[in-house]
Amino acid sequence: MADDELQAIRAQRMAAMRQQQQQNHGDPNQAAQKQEDERKQQEDMKNSILSQVLNQPARARLNTIRLAKPEKAAMVENLLVNMARRGQIGGQLGETELKGLLEQVSQQTKQETTVKFDRRRAALDDD
């Protein structure tokens, strides 16, 4: 009787493992599709907020910046979306206001570059 119970438990466990494995194999496609849909929805929401917040010339400037410096454009877009959600933006921003925001972001992310010359005196000596 113990062997029969053990066999039944094993069969149950194997069936559960098979079912879980099938779900896991089906899940990546569904999970990837769900993530893609969420990403598209967030992107659409961000674009709709940006179109409400920026006038056409400012939007064109931001798109031009995106071509040259995508990470800076993403930072400015996120900044604008957050400001719009908090109600810090009244009306549409023009090109001059966008330039001001770009300067602020540039100052925050400014990287100091230094050049260090390593002169090897032993190789240059003619002695």
Side-chain angles (χ1 to χ4, degrees), residues 33-95:
Q33 182 66 31
K34 186 176 181 182
Q35 278 183 335
E36 184 68 22
D37 290 343
E38 287 176 7
R39 188 188 63 75
K40 283 181 182 178
Q41 184 180 7
Q42 288 176 350
E43 190 71 25
D44 289 343
M45 189 172 70
K46 181 173 75 168
N47 284 333
S48 110
I49 290 173
L50 287 174
S51 66
Q52 291 173 3
V53 169
L54 296 175
N55 65 13
Q56 197 60 35
R59 188 73 195 234
R61 181 176 288 272
L62 188 58
N63 287 335
T64 304
I65 291 168
R66 182 181 293 117
L67 293 174
K69 297 183 179 186
E71 58 279 343
K72 184 179 276 192
M75 288 175 63
V76 171
E77 287 175 351
N78 291 334
L79 179 67
L80 287 167
V81 168
N82 288 335
M83 287 173 67
R85 285 184 179 159
R86 286 189 234 127
Q88 294 176 339
I89 299 176
Q92 284 193 332
L93 297 179
E95 235 181 317

Side-chain angles (χ1 to χ4, degrees), residues 2-20:
D3 288 337
D4 292 338
E5 288 176 9
L6 188 58
Q7 278 294 358
I9 292 172
R10 281 186 183 157
Q12 253 182 344
R13 181 72 181 137
M14 288 297 288
M17 287 174 63
R18 283 189 196 113
Q19 184 179 7
Q20 185 179 14

Side-chain angles (χ1 to χ4, degrees), residues 119-127:
R119 296 189 179 154
R120 303 197 178 163
R121 299 189 191 287
L124 297 175
D125 290 339
D126 289 335
D127 293 348

